[in-house]
Amino acid sequence: MTVAARIGNPERTGKRAAVAAGGPDWTNIEEQLLLMAECGNPDERRRRRQHIITECLPLADHIAYRFVGRGEPSDDLIQVARLGLVKSVDRYVPGKGRFMAFAVPTIRGEVRRQFRESTWSMRVPCKVQETRLRMRDTVEELSQR
């Protein structure tokens, strides 16, 4: 079952979202990003950018799905994760490492920032907030045991 199907988004369960039952295929994403970066025509660059973002939407949705059930609406998390994907496509520099190694932390960081900005009524250092989240997860796991 694809990531999109698990989070209830039927429009993303088509051929583009999964390749042969093995999941999304991002084997040529870096080549596409390089072609986009080298493109001189603004319209063609925009078209390539949109194609790359569309191909990588399952990645953003998967990362957002991992944070569902923690106090934020799933639609908001998906939107923030997709925004993180757009930012990672725009900021990625071809040749400075793998795109997925850059995109995943960028998207995850955007989702975590959403939690920090929306769930705390007073300013608390990020490290304290992240420690609290880790403690909560650990307490839940130990309670189940």
Side-chain angles (χ1 to χ4, degrees):
M1 176 181 288
T2 66
V3 173
R6 285 192 304 241
I7 61 175
N9 189 349
E11 63 187 318
R12 298 295 317 154
T13 58
K15 182 179 174 224
R16 286 182 167 226
V19 174
D25 179 22
W26 295 306
T27 55
N28 67 348
I29 200 73
E30 289 176 29
E31 179 183 328
Q32 292 179 30
L33 285 158
L34 181 61
L35 291 172
M36 181 188 82
E38 294 174 347
C39 189
N41 181 347
D43 291 331
E44 180 66 18
R45 185 181 194 292
R46 189 174 15 258
R47 186 190 66 73
R48 289 178 189 264
R49 177 180 174 266
Q50 184 176 4
H51 176 75
I52 292 167
I53 291 169
T54 302
E55 288 296 314
C56 293
L57 281 176
L59 172 66
D61 293 349
H62 175 71
I63 292 170
Y65 179 70
R66 295 182 66 201
F67 289 89
V68 169
R70 297 186 186 186
E72 283 290 301
S74 61
D75 289 343
D76 290 352
L77 294 176
I78 291 169
Q79 181 177 6
V80 168
R82 288 178 175 188
L83 179 62
L85 171 64
V86 171
K87 287 181 178 182
S88 65
V89 168
D90 289 342
R91 293 188 345 217
Y92 177 72
V93 178
K96 283 202 162 193
R98 309 276 309 172
F99 174 70
M100 289 300 164
F102 176 75
V104 170
T106 302
I107 297 167
R108 192 180 308 133
E110 287 295 318
V111 174
R112 287 181 176 162
R113 183 177 295 115
Q114 170 70 15
F115 277 102
R116 283 195 299 267
E117 292 177 356
S118 66
T119 59
W120 291 82
S121 58
M122 61 184 267
R123 181 70 188 118
V124 178
C126 294
K127 189 161 184 91
V128 172
Q129 294 178 29
E130 291 171 356
T131 301
R132 182 194 163 274
L133 288 173
R134 283 196 314 270
M135 283 177 38
R136 187 193 69 194
D137 292 343
T138 303
V139 167
E140 287 177 10
E141 180 182 330
L142 292 173
S143 296
Q144 291 298 320
R145 286 186 188 171

